Amino acid sequence: MVMMGNSSNSLIMLCYVFMITMMIFLLEPNKRLVNAGRNDIVVLPNFCTTRLNVLQPPYHDIPKSICSSLDWHGYRISFFQDNNAVLTVVLSGMNENSWVGVGVSKDGMMVGSSAVVGWMNRDGRSGTVKQYYLKGRTRNDESIPDKGELKFTNVTPTIVVKDQIIYLGFQLQFSSRLDRQPFLFAAGYGKPGANNILPTHKYRSALLVDFPKGAIRIGFVDSRKVKMTHGILTIIGWGIIIPFGASMARYLRECEPLWYYLHSSVQFIGFFVGLSGVAVGRTLYELVHADFNSHRSIGYIVLALSVLQICQFIMRPSRTSKVRKYWNKSHQWVGRSVVVLALVNIFIGLFYGNGGKPFKIFFLCAFSTFVLSQIILEIRLLLQRKRAALTTTADEPPLFQVPPRT
């Protein structure tokens, strides 16, 4: 092990305890942020049987559906999920000769969601049900018809009106059973025209359905500020500081011992900034319960590997130790894994998680700068090594020397 005085050992142990304490504190979801982002009503478990003889099977006589009333003209919605991950949704309420829709959201927000929208046709006897992809929220034409990520079953969606009550029913097939899933509900002004562009909505709400508990949480969840904070911290910490700090250990070796202090200091800063981003990410998950398991899993793997790097730093063997070469290899490859996985996870968060356009541009600029700088520095390093090898070869004496004449 590295030989240090008692004061140095005590300082390192103090830093280690501080790091663990900060991790526990930061990774605890911020209840104030969670509660501030919610404007909802908690609905206790509410199972019912949908006895709607107006609709054809399988949209009536569904046992143990999860039901809830909606705060809009007597609307009511029910969800039933079977063991094959097939979800049956039935929506009913007062007919106002306008479109109604139910969306499936990744994060409780409209943008990036897919929705099933229905309305009665002009003849009043038949109806239309279409899937829409909700690309944006500022213009009507950003709700794109016949697009989306939802998969219907072989059962045809239906919409009917009876006794001034409109009924919308549809079935969706998911790859696995849903746990806690955000949904959206909206009702609009009038009906779509020939181009199927949806008129502006006059009412909207969000629902979080907890299928294992049979409960529905109604109300909008404003996660934009928390999501923005999470993105800023993770991009700066894992996407900028950590990668550039790692490159210092490779390209500043001639600046002994400056490279070591720069590398360790920058990486500690990047770790705590990234850790803060993970903490805000946990708060974001508590807020919206988004089904984003790949992003969360990779994030926790990056965090675990980063903690391993810090442990390796604290337990660093001396240069004369026999295990130092193994420590070097482990430290290098764990560090490279952190950088690669962190960058991949940021790409996933930005593009799969509907990150804002400014964030995408900022990160792509930072990533391009990083890649270009690494190429330039790597070429510079290879040229330095080549010159050093030529210099060494020139200074060596020849293998055979001709003796001087006497």
Side-chain angles (χ1 to χ4, degrees):
M1 304 300 296
V2 178
M3 301 301 296
M4 298 182 181
N6 292 332
S7 59
S8 298
N9 286 328
S10 300
L11 181 60
I12 287 179
M13 290 306 298
L14 182 63
C15 291
Y16 195 45
V17 172
F18 174 75
M19 181 191 70
I20 296 175
T21 305
M22 286 293 293
M23 286 182 62
I24 295 173
F25 174 75
L26 287 173
L27 290 178
E28 180 66 24
N30 191 321
K31 301 299 182 184
R32 182 181 63 82
L33 287 176
V34 171
N35 294 330
R38 284 178 173 161
N39 181 20
D40 54 11
I41 304 169
V42 177
V43 178
L44 296 176
N46 183 14
F47 292 102
C48 66
T49 299
T50 55
R51 303 188 183 279
L52 301 174
N53 294 327
V54 177
L55 301 179
Q56 298 296 319
Y59 299 120
H60 71 83
D61 293 334
I62 305 174
K64 209 173 182 180
S65 295
I66 305 173
C67 303
S68 175
S69 59
L70 301 170
D71 188 21
W72 175 255
H73 292 195
Y75 270 87
R76 188 170 181 82
I77 193 166
S78 66
F79 301 89
F80 174 75
Q81 180 178 217
D82 65 16
N83 294 328
N84 297 318
V86 174
L87 179 67
T88 303
V89 181
V90 177
L91 174 72
S92 63
M94 184 181 298
N95 180 31
E96 295 188 328
N97 293 316
S98 62
W99 64 266
V100 293
V102 178
V104 181
S105 173
K106 296 185 179 76
D107 55 6
M109 305 303 291
M110 184 184 108
V111 178
S113 302
S114 300
V116 179
V117 180
W119 61 90
M120 297 303 296
N121 296 330
R122 308 256 178 216
D123 57 18
R125 296 187 299 271
S126 62
T128 300
V129 179
K130 285 184 174 291
Q131 182 177 180
Y132 283 78
Y133 177 70
L134 310 180
K135 183 180 179 181
R137 55 184 298 167
T138 57
R139 302 195 313 270
N140 292 346
D141 60 358
E142 289 182 317
S143 297
I144 306 173
D146 299 316
K147 298 290 184 181
E149 301 175 354
L150 302 178
K151 181 181 179 181
F152 290 107
T153 64
N154 294 329
V155 179
T156 304
T158 184
I159 184 167
V160 297
V161 172
K162 184 175 182 180
D163 299 330
Q164 291 303 309
I165 301 296
I166 190 168
Y167 301 88
L168 171 66
F170 57 91
Q171 277 192 340
L172 300 175
Q173 176 70 64
F174 291 90
S175 58
S176 59
R177 282 175 57 84
L178 301 176
D179 183 15
R180 289 180 293 184
Q181 175 62 46
F183 291 90
L184 307 171
F185 164 70
Y189 287 102
K191 303 173 184 179
N195 55 7
N196 291 320
I197 299 300
L198 294 178
T200 305
H201 56 259
K202 57 184 173 182
Y203 177 81
R204 61 193 177 102
S205 183
L207 309 91
L208 177 64
V209 181
D210 191 329
F211 286 96
K213 294 181 180 179
I216 298 179
R217 186 185 294 273
I218 301 175
F220 271 105
V221 178
D222 189 359
S223 61
R224 285 172 292 180
K225 290 183 179 179
V226 182
K227 189 176 181 180
M228 181 178 67
T229 304
H230 172 64
I232 291 173
L233 289 174
T234 50
I235 289 175
I236 293 176
W238 301 120
I240 296 178
I241 299 178
I242 291 290
F244 279 101
S247 67
M248 292 178 182
R250 179 172 179 82
Y251 301 117
L252 296 180
R253 284 297 180 116
E254 67 271 15
C255 303
E256 185 79 31
L258 177 63
W259 75 265
Y260 171 77
Y261 294 110
L262 282 175
H263 170 66
S264 57
S265 300
V266 169
Q267 296 304 77
F268 266 107
I269 293 172
F271 171 77
F272 280 109
V273 174
L275 177 62
S276 301
V278 175
V280 177
R282 280 203 63 192
T283 300
L284 182 62
Y285 179 74
E286 290 293 322
L287 191 61
V288 299
H289 298 286
D291 185 14
F292 209 177
N293 293 327
S294 59
H295 184 65
R296 293 179 65 224
S297 300
I298 296 175
Y300 284 130
I301 292 172
V302 170
L303 179 62
L305 292 175
S306 300
V307 173
L308 177 60
Q309 283 289 79
I310 295 175
C311 294
Q312 288 181 329
F313 169 76
I314 294 172
M315 305 298 291
R316 181 169 55 100
S318 63
R319 293 185 177 182
T320 58
S321 174
K322 295 181 179 180
V323 300
R324 179 59 182 256
K325 62 179 181 179
Y326 303 108
W327 180 91
N328 285 338
K329 289 294 183 183
S330 174
H331 187 68
Q332 291 169 3
W333 283 105
V334 171
R336 291 166 183 167
S337 300
V338 168
V339 172
V340 172
L341 288 175
L343 293 174
V344 168
N345 208 30
I346 291 173
F347 271 108
I348 293 175
L350 285 175
F351 293 92
Y352 182 76
N354 299 305
K357 188 175 181 180
F359 285 98
K360 293 178 181 178
I361 295 174
F362 173 71
F363 177 68
L364 288 176
C365 290
F367 179 74
S368 302
T369 303
F370 173 73
V371 171
L372 182 61
S373 65
Q374 299 308 292
I375 294 174
I376 295 173
L377 290 171
E378 188 66 24
I379 294 174
R380 175 177 173 271
L381 180 63
L382 292 175
L383 293 175
Q384 285 179 338
R385 289 177 176 176
K386 187 176 181 180
R387 284 195 296 267
L390 292 175
T391 303
T392 303
T393 304
D395 292 341
E396 290 179 354
L399 296 177
F400 300 98
Q401 291 184 344
V402 179
R405 293 183 178 181
T406 56

